[in-house]
Amino acid sequence: MTDKVIRIFKIINAIQSNPGIMASELAIRCDVNIRTIYRDLEIISHFAPVTNEGRGTGYRFLGKFFLYPLDFSEQEALAFSLLPSVLNQDKIPPGFHTAYDKVMGTHLKEKSKQNGILENIADIIQMGKPAYRKESRNFLQPIIGAILEQRSIRAVYHSQSRNALTQREIDPYYLIPRDQRFYLIGYCHLKGAIRTFRISRFHQVEVTDRSFNKGGFNIKGYLKNTWSIDRGNKNIKFKVRFHPEIARYIKEEELFVHPRMSDEQDGSLLFEVTVNNEKEFTKWILQYGPNAEILEPASAREGLKVQLEQWMSLYQK
């Protein structure tokens, strides 16, 4: 059995290195008869797209398949690492241990390289920290790794609404940048539902061995009509007029919802959009001051008027 495993690895490496190699050449390299090679190729075909397109064309892999010496999952790496301990040491052929060391060495090198890439990403993406915390770790690296490997995280999270720390297990789906912050959208096992987490509110993050599946979750559908990050429960249609001086800047805003924009004769811009959170959209409008006028709905227009009056009374003291 051990001989067969080693021979299959040898066949795979030979086909990768020499696309179009003939079965007869494989038999010579592996020192077996050609019927054995055909049986081994049948086994390989169950997990790799090997083919010979016709008589005299030899064997090759389809598409981008490549066994580099490995793309091990954690479970596969553990199983392979235990291989020497379960084999009969007296029957292990010469060369097995050196081949085994090469495979495991490559796996560890690739894992280290992947971790290095994630560290670089985390260093490139600079984040602020909450004013109330003297120290704040950057958990982007483990979270990005967990998203890529589809593994759950175990975390300690500060819930701002209750001003309390909670322990949670989360299936991380997506990282969303909003307003110079990063948010994680994923399935929270504590709440039994999809939740949004602000990255800077994590106090601890540990990647677990438990894998997950997103199922039919659709991020575009989940965030439909969401202006920033907080999802509301009621869709509201806004109509806003922007002053000619800033109209061209509004047109180049990178938005996650799709407004309808039309140019007015005086150069102003009519901006119409449906959102599910009035507060978030109004907050965005306020940054443009008198250069943005809410036309509809009347309730939002009146609400902004009341807010401005409150501000005026504050600064008249």
Side-chain angles (χ1 to χ4, degrees), residues 4 25 62 76 83 97 99 189 230 238 252 255 267 275 300:
K4 178 180 287 189
E25 174 64 22
L62 294 174
E76 290 168 339
L83 188 59
H97 287 294
H189 290 264
D230 291 329
F238 275 86
E252 70 175 7
L255 307 173
V275 297

Side-chain angles (χ1 to χ4, degrees), residues 33-87:
N33 61 54
I34 198 167
R35 290 191 301 275
T36 300
I37 293 297
Y38 287 141
R39 287 194 294 268
D40 290 342
L41 287 167
E42 177 65 23
I43 293 172
I44 293 172
S45 69
H46 289 296
F47 62 85
V50 63
T51 183
N52 65 331
E53 298 174 349
R55 183 180 294 276
T57 59
Y59 289 87
R60 65 182 67 247
F61 290 118
L62 294 174
K64 296 182 179 180
F65 174 83
F66 194 80
L67 188 68
Y68 187 91
L70 295 166
D71 185 16
F72 274 151
S73 67
E74 291 299 316
Q75 187 177 17
E76 290 168 339
L78 177 60
F80 193 84
S81 68
L82 295 174
L83 188 59
S85 65
V86 299
L87 295 177

Side-chain angles (χ1 to χ4, degrees), residues 47 49 114 116 166 177 179 204 212 260 270 274 297 312 314:
F47 62 85
Q114 182 185 40
T166 57
D179 302 327
Q204 294 179 24
F212 66 87
R260 186 173 70 175
L270 194 61
T274 299
M312 286 292 294
L314 177 66

